[in-house]
């Protein structure tokens, strides 16, 4: 039995998203952290900070590295992070001469934050593709039913007639704007984190900027002028983007659920859910789940804003809170986009009587 609905053996079929969840697996996290370490060693060798032979040995060790996850878990419980135990394991694979050059100048947060940026880039790509799919389905729905008349309603009361096309436009246009927002957000989110102990790259001396440029180029990340260990606005902005997507889809779901009521019957939704007590019922499950996921992300967003409050140069408390919340928001948004696309394909409008 799982404590999380996203990987619950039953609820995950309704609320989960295995494709998005995979970006938050231990395998995905370790893969990107090791990619950072490999790029760092290569950059430091290119700038003459460590021997080229050490960078070669580090690359080989990382390529063949197989983590002892039980040891890393124990280390995480002790140190609050997986990195110290991970670094010890990798150094044990290197000879003494090369081990002293591994992880040189960097710190745990550099690994974790850079790895997160790489994984969020993958998450954002998947979500953007799904946004395109939802928009395309809405366009097809509008082309099929757009000229039909509906009753416009304001404050839950009948107002003036509108068309189906007008209704769908209110669902579609925010989603299109969310795609634009992602482009604007990318330079503030997909960032290299390389600051060292207190974020000022002091351990690298005058070569800090050159090393950072090389690592950023290798990982295809933006290179900020300074590390943002305690500046979490980019991650919080991304959480806001996730909540906006879920919220826009929640509005679609709420509209469909209301329009599908027996007394209104402006839409019919194929393949709806049944009732154990009333087999004649057709419950708008997908529409309801869109509302649920919108409210879930809205609730978690406040926690992401709480996580903006980092004490001094790094906060274990705020950072851990962020780690707890953001994966759930990503999975909820992915599930909302999947449910939204399926719901749109099952909608048929009934003309205004």
């Amino acid at each position: 039995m799982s404590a999380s609905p996203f990987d619950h053996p039953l609820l995950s079929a309704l609320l989960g998203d295995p494709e998005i969840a995979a970006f938050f697996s231990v395998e995905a996290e370790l893969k990107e952290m090791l990619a950072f370490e490999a790029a760092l060693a290569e950059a430091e060798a290119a700038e003459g900070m460590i021997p080229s032979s050490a960078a070669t040995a580090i690359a080989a060790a990382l390529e063949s590295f197989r983590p002892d996850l039980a040891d890393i878990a124990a280390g995480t419980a002790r140190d609050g992070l997986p990195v110290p135990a991970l670094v010890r394991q990798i150094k044990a694979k290197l000879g003494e001469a090369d081990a002293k050059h591994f992880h040189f100048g960097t710190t745990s947060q550099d690994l974790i934050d850079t790895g997160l940026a790489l994984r969020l880039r993958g998450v954002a790509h998947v979500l953007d593709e799904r946004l395109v799919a939802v928009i395309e389905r809405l366009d097809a729905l509008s082309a099929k039913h757009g000229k039909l008349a509906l009753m416009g309603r304001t404050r839950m009361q009948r107002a003036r007639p509108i068309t189906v096309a007008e209704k769908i436009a209110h669902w579609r246009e925010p989603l299109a704007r969310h795609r634009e927002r992602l482009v604007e957000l990318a330079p503030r989110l997909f960032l290299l984190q390389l600051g060292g102990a207190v974020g000022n790259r002091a351990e690298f001396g005058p070569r800090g900027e050159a090393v950072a440029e090389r690592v950023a180029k290798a990982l295809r990340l933006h290179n900020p002028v300074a590390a943002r260990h305690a500046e979490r606005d980019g991650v919080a902005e991304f959480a806001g983007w996730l909540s906006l997507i879920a919220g826009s889809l929640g509005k679609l779901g709420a509209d469909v659920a209301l329009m599908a009521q027996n007394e209104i019957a402006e839409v019919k939704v194929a393949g709806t859910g049944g009732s154990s007590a009333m087999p004649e019922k057709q419950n708008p499950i997908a529409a309801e789940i869109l509302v649920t996921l919108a409210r879930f992300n809205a609730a978690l967003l406040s926690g992401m804003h709480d996580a903006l409050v980092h004490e001094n140069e790094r906060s274990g408390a705020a950072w851990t809170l962020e780690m707890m919340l953001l994966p759930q928001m990503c999975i909820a948004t992915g599930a909302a986009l999947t449910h939204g696309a399926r719901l749109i394909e099952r909608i048929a409008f009934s003309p205004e009587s």
Side-chain angles (χ1 to χ4, degrees), residues 19-146:
E19 184 177 13
I20 297 298
F23 287 101
F24 299 98
S25 67
V26 65
E27 293 81 9
E29 184 171 13
L30 290 175
K31 174 186 174 184
E32 301 300 2
M33 287 197 290
L34 296 186
F36 167 84
E37 289 284 12
L40 177 64
E42 183 178 349
E44 289 174 334
E47 292 297 322
M49 295 186 65
I50 68 172
S52 296
S53 59
T56 300
I58 289 169
L62 293 174
E63 182 69 26
S64 62
F65 177 66
R66 299 295 179 268
D68 180 343
L69 294 181
D71 176 68
I72 294 176
T76 302
R78 178 182 60 250
D79 304 319
L81 295 169
V83 176
L86 174 67
V87 169
R88 283 193 295 272
Q89 288 186 19
I90 295 170
K91 283 188 173 184
K93 289 178 59 68
L94 295 163
E96 184 177 348
D98 294 323
K100 67 182 181 181
H101 299 297
F102 176 71
H103 194 66
F104 178 75
T106 190
T107 190
S108 295
Q109 189 163 5
D110 292 337
L111 270 74
I112 292 174
D113 278 358
T114 301
L116 176 65
L118 293 169
R119 289 181 289 133
L120 291 184
R121 185 170 64 193
V123 169
H125 177 72
V126 172
L127 297 182
D128 187 54
E129 286 187 330
R130 294 187 191 179
L131 274 169
V132 171
V134 171
I135 291 168
E136 288 176 347
R137 284 165 172 78
L138 287 172
D139 287 340
L141 188 65
S142 185
K144 183 176 182 180
H145 297 288

Side-chain angles (χ1 to χ4, degrees), residues 176-208:
R177 291 193 292 271
H178 298 334
R179 297 198 67 218
E180 297 171 1
R181 288 184 174 99
L182 178 60
V183 175
E184 298 165 358
L185 167 62
R188 298 188 290 273
L189 177 67
F190 306 132
L191 300 173
L192 170 69
Q193 191 79 279
L194 183 58
V198 292
N200 60 5
R201 298 177 180 168
E203 291 83 358
F204 299 101
R207 299 184 182 90

Side-chain angles (χ1 to χ4, degrees), residues 195-316:
V198 292
N200 60 5
R201 298 177 180 168
E203 291 83 358
F204 299 101
R207 299 184 182 90
E209 182 58 27
V211 169
E213 284 290 343
R214 287 181 181 275
V215 178
K217 183 177 180 180
L219 299 177
R220 297 183 297 112
L221 292 171
H222 298 276
N223 178 29
V225 295
R228 299 186 182 178
H229 290 165
E231 300 171 23
R232 313 309 292 178
D233 53 294
V235 182
E237 187 178 2
F238 181 68
W241 182 74
L242 297 171
S243 188
L244 284 171
I245 293 173
S248 296
L249 292 168
K251 187 269 191 294
L252 185 160
D255 283 354
V256 170
L258 289 169
M259 295 164 70
Q261 291 180 103
N262 304 107
E263 296 81 2
I264 296 177
E266 287 179 332
V267 299
K268 293 182 179 179
V269 182
T272 51
S275 165
S276 62
M278 295 169 282
E280 73 279 5
K281 284 188 68 182
Q282 296 291 305
N283 296 324
I285 302 302
E288 292 176 327
I289 290 303
L290 291 180
V291 176
T292 299
L293 294 170
R295 291 173 175 164
F296 179 83
N297 266 5
L300 266 59
L301 182 59
S302 66
M304 287 297 296
H305 287 168
D306 278 337
L308 287 166
V309 185
H310 273 237
E311 307 84 21
N312 298 316
E313 281 61 58
R314 182 176 299 117
S315 169

